Amino acid sequence: MFLFGKKKDKKAEKAETPVVNKDELISKAEAKVSELEGTEGDARVELLNEIGSLYFQAEELDKAIEYYEESLGLKKVMGKSYTDLMSLYNKKRQQAAEAKNDEELNYYLAKVQEMMQISKDMLRGKM
């Protein structure tokens, strides 16, 4: 006869996520922005991604998009910045749909399509 263990309570398994202060995240991002001056190459791309990530966590969507787009403009790579930017475009598209703003909706749909094309090009070795 087989004995099976009790099912674990999934709620108990989930660790409490620390509450992050939005103002603290924005302060960190602004501090990193000052570091951008004089930074070039891969170091600049990395810094732009960090800034974009901080703004993304602070739910400052437009600022996060700005830094992620600059990063991908310098170096197109599949990674967290790519997936975060895709998520941001989808959030903005959803907001536009809820606001019934067709112009903005079409803009973000086009942005999502651009990202999909970048992904296809990278996978095909065209970049």
Side-chain angles (χ1 to χ4, degrees):
M1 177 170 196
F2 294 100
L3 297 175
F4 295 99
K6 287 185 177 181
K7 289 185 180 179
K8 293 181 182 176
D9 185 12
K10 289 185 180 185
K11 289 180 185 176
E13 279 185 16
K14 287 185 181 180
E16 298 255 343
T17 55
V19 177
V20 181
N21 186 345
K22 182 176 178 175
D23 293 331
E24 185 180 321
L25 290 169
I26 292 171
S27 295
K28 286 181 183 178
E30 289 171 350
K32 295 228 178 250
V33 168
S34 65
E35 293 177 31
L36 277 175
E37 195 170 318
T39 308
E40 296 178 5
D42 287 343
R44 183 173 183 86
V45 170
E46 192 65 35
L47 199 52
L48 289 167
N49 288 336
E50 288 177 34
I51 295 166
S53 179
L54 288 167
Y55 279 123
F56 182 59
Q57 292 171 47
E59 297 179 0
E60 292 288 328
L61 306 185
D62 293 326
K63 289 266 193 185
I65 288 171
E66 175 186 340
Y67 287 99
Y68 279 141
E69 283 180 341
E70 185 177 345
S71 167
L72 285 174
L74 294 173
K75 184 176 182 180
K76 292 186 177 22
V77 292
M78 298 286 286
K80 184 177 180 334
S81 59
Y82 176 88
T83 55
D84 281 356
L85 188 54
M86 185 69 93
S87 294
L88 287 163
Y89 286 155
N90 281 316
K91 282 183 182 185
K92 294 294 282 184
R93 180 192 51 78
Q94 184 180 14
Q95 289 173 354
E98 289 170 359
K100 297 186 186 337
N101 184 339
D102 291 337
E103 185 178 325
E104 199 169 300
L105 176 67
N106 288 330
Y107 175 78
Y108 285 106
L109 280 171
K111 287 292 199 177
V112 169
Q113 288 299 323
E114 285 177 27
M115 295 294 287
M116 297 294 281
Q117 189 60 49
I118 289 170
S119 173
K120 289 176 186 176
D121 290 347
M122 280 194 264
L123 290 171
R124 293 178 182 147
K126 293 183 180 181
M127 295 192 145

